[in-house]
């Protein structure tokens, strides 16, 4: 079991399969993005070796993310390899959904349990503006394909950006009346160098909830107000699905955090919003033993930070969200 110095059991690994993406969301990356060359990325066999190492240390839950994980070559084989690793109980995926209409069935057959799909607005014009060119119909088809393939419960993620989609939370929330989906509203986080709107145009979870309640009536808390993962969950009375608010900026959930992140270039990062990192790929390529790598992981887990420093202006500068894995 991997414990940190605050007694948190760290057993959930988010792996970013690539920093590349087929969209350019305004809150995530600049329009002209420079991506990492393939030689610097973990190769499939390196990735699977590290997954076995983490599984041996008690990690049982894996989420694949990015960049856009579905554009990684051999994504289906990677899912199959991870899902069949002894000790791994669940493999899930965070995706923009663009390729899910093609991939859902084979991903489900390879052992993928479920998906989180990003969709920030249902309005095609606003979607194109937010993603700098995306087609919301592709994502919608991806959501339906994922549900049909049994990648459930489907969760939809929306980052809310003032001036882009703050009014659209109502239509997104309304989807839960007819669909057994969880629609989650995420506070935008700042990563140095990505874009200025991250600090000036964040919309709080509180404001999103207020806007939805003004339009659709009071929301009922689900689970007695307990967090579900990182989200506070509510329901529109009699709805099929539910609504989550993720207030990573205004009310961080550090005491419940069980996560570590592995970047596409094999760096272990223990907090999304802190720069503390441990390189695993360089020692692996230099011939480090499994015991050496194990020691590096345990030391890094032990030193997992607590709390972000956004309130005091400490913004992580060394990587963007797409380079860490959301
Ligand atoms: N490309 C996939 C997607 O969009 O779902 C996976 C990677 S993306 C970085 C993972 C999640 O991070 C998405 O839900 C995305 O909306 C969210 N995200 C990206 N930039 C963010 C930011 N600055 N603040 C908060 N969430 C962000
Ligand atoms: Fe790509 Fe996801 Fe970032 Fe959008 S949020 S640019 S889809 S990685």
């Amino acid at each position: 079991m991997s414990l940190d110095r605050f007694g948190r059991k760290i057993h959930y690994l988010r792996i970013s399969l690539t920093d590349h993406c087929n969209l350019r969301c305004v809150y995530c990356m600049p329009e002209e993005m420079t991506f990492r060359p393939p030689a610097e990325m973990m190769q499939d066999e390196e990735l699977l070796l590290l997954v076995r190492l983490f599984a041996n240390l008690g990690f049982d839950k894996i989420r694949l993310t990015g960049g856009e994980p579905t554009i990684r070559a051999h994504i289906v084989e990677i899912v199959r390899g991870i899902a069949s690793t002894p000790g791994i109980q669940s493999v899930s995926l965070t995706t923009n959904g663009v390729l899910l209409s093609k991939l859902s069935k084979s991903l489900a057959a390879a052992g993928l349990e479920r998906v989180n799909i990003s969709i920030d607005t249902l309005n095609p014009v606003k979607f194109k503006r937010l993603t700098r060119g995306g087609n919301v119909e592709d994502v919608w088809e991806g959501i339906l394909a994922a549900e049909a393939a049994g990648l459930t419960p489907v969760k939809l993620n929306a980052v809310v950006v003032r001036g882009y989609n703050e009014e659209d939370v109502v239509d997104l929330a309304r989807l839960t009346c007819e669909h057994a989906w969880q629609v989650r509203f995420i506070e935008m986080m700042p990563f140095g160098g990505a874009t200025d709107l991250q600090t000036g145009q964040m919309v709080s979870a509180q404001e999103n909830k207020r806007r939805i309640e003004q339009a659709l009536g009071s929301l009922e808390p689900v689970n007695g107000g307990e967090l579900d993962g990182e989200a506070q969950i509510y329901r529109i009375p009699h709805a099929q699905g539910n609504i989550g608010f993720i207030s990573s900026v205004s009310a961080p959930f550090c005491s419940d955090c069980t996560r570590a992140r592995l970047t596409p270039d094999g760096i272990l990062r223990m907090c999304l919003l802190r720069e503390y990192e441990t390189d695993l790929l360089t020692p692996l390529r230099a011939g480090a033993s499994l015991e050496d790598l194990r020691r590096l992981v345990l030391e890094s887990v032990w030193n997992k930070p607590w709390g972000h420093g956004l309130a005091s202006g400490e913004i992580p500068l060394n990587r963007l969200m797409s380079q860490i894995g959301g």
Side-chain angles (χ1 to χ4, degrees):
M1 189 200 293
S2 299
L3 281 179
D4 78 356
R5 66 208 147 109
F6 302 106
R8 293 175 294 185
K9 181 175 182 265
I10 313 304
H11 65 103
Y12 178 10
L13 184 65
R14 293 193 168 203
I15 305 175
S16 175
L17 291 181
T18 174
D19 61 340
H20 293 232
C21 190
N22 45 2
L23 299 178
R24 294 284 184 280
C25 301
V26 292
Y27 50 76
C28 180
M29 56 173 82
E31 195 159 9
E32 299 303 325
M33 181 73 184
T34 313
F35 296 111
R36 201 167 278 285
E40 288 181 16
M41 310 260 219
M42 286 182 289
Q43 303 303 299
D44 296 358
E45 57 284 6
E46 292 168 332
L47 176 68
L48 292 175
L49 182 147
L50 288 176
V51 167
R52 287 196 293 278
L53 180 89
F54 279 95
N56 270 324
L57 290 171
F59 282 74
D60 55 4
K61 188 173 164 185
I62 304 275
R63 173 171 294 276
L64 301 175
T65 178
E68 178 46 43
T70 59
I71 64 174
R72 165 113 186 193
H74 317 136
I75 174 73
V76 173
E77 290 72 22
I78 291 173
V79 167
R80 187 174 297 116
I82 296 175
S84 60
T85 301
I88 299 300
Q89 307 282 341
S90 92
V91 187
S92 56
L93 179 78
T94 299
T95 168
N96 62 30
V98 169
L99 296 175
L100 275 187
S101 60
K102 291 194 189 81
L103 285 171
S104 285
K105 266 194 193 158
S106 28
L107 288 171
L112 188 71
E113 191 173 300
R114 51 179 205 82
V115 285
N116 287 12
I117 303 170
S118 297
I119 181 164
D120 306 315
T121 169
L122 300 177
N123 177 312
V125 176
K126 290 191 191 177
F127 187 85
K128 206 168 264 304
R129 180 171 175 242
L130 256 163
T131 56
R132 299 198 187 95
N135 179 1
V136 74
E137 268 301 312
D138 296 342
V139 181
W140 189 255
E141 282 170 23
I143 295 170
L144 298 181
E147 187 169 45
L151 297 172
T152 53
V154 168
K155 296 188 181 178
L156 304 184
N157 288 344
V159 174
V160 188
V161 189
R162 197 173 308 288
Y164 283 82
N165 65 337
E166 74 267 41
E167 307 290 345
D168 300 54
V169 297
V170 175
D171 284 346
L172 287 165
R174 203 182 272 117
L175 289 176
T176 64
C177 296
E178 303 291 328
H179 300 276
W181 300 339
Q182 184 176 98
V183 176
R184 298 133 42 100
F185 299 102
I186 303 175
E187 286 179 350
M188 182 167 48
M189 291 174 276
F191 296 86
T195 147
D196 290 342
L197 58 77
Q198 286 179 339
T199 37
Q201 285 156 252
M202 192 274 269
V203 183
S204 70
Q206 245 184 344
E207 180 177 333
N208 292 326
K209 180 163 178 278
R210 200 179 325 117
R211 188 166 275 116
I212 292 167
E213 290 193 314
Q214 270 163 8
L216 305 177
S218 293
L219 299 176
E220 296 169 345
V222 175
N223 301 335
E226 288 287 300
L227 282 183
D228 172 13
E230 66 272 62
Q232 198 99 50
I233 308 297
Y234 293 84
R235 188 170 37 218
I236 299 171
H238 311 299
Q240 308 270 315
N242 54 44
I243 299 171
F245 296 96
I246 301 182
S247 47
S248 341
V249 178
S250 65
F253 35 86
C254 307
S255 59
D256 291 318
C257 186
T258 57
R259 296 170 190 178
R261 289 179 159 84
L262 193 58
T263 70
D265 50 331
I267 306 273
L268 181 60
R269 178 150 170 143
M270 297 306 302
C271 174
L272 189 55
L273 291 166
R274 292 284 185 187
E275 292 180 4
Y276 171 62
E277 297 183 339
T278 304
D279 185 356
L280 298 180
L281 187 58
T282 306
L284 171 63
R285 287 186 176 173
S289 68
L290 283 179
E291 193 43 47
D292 292 339
L293 291 169
R294 196 182 139 88
R295 213 172 305 119
L296 283 175
V297 173
L298 286 175
E299 196 180 300
S300 187
V301 166
W302 181 255
N303 290 313
K304 179 175 164 67
W306 182 293
H308 64 58
L310 297 181
S312 51
E314 287 172 66
I315 293 175
L317 297 174
N318 57 347
R319 282 170 194 271
L320 306 185
M321 181 70 140
S322 58
Q323 296 162 327
I324 303 168

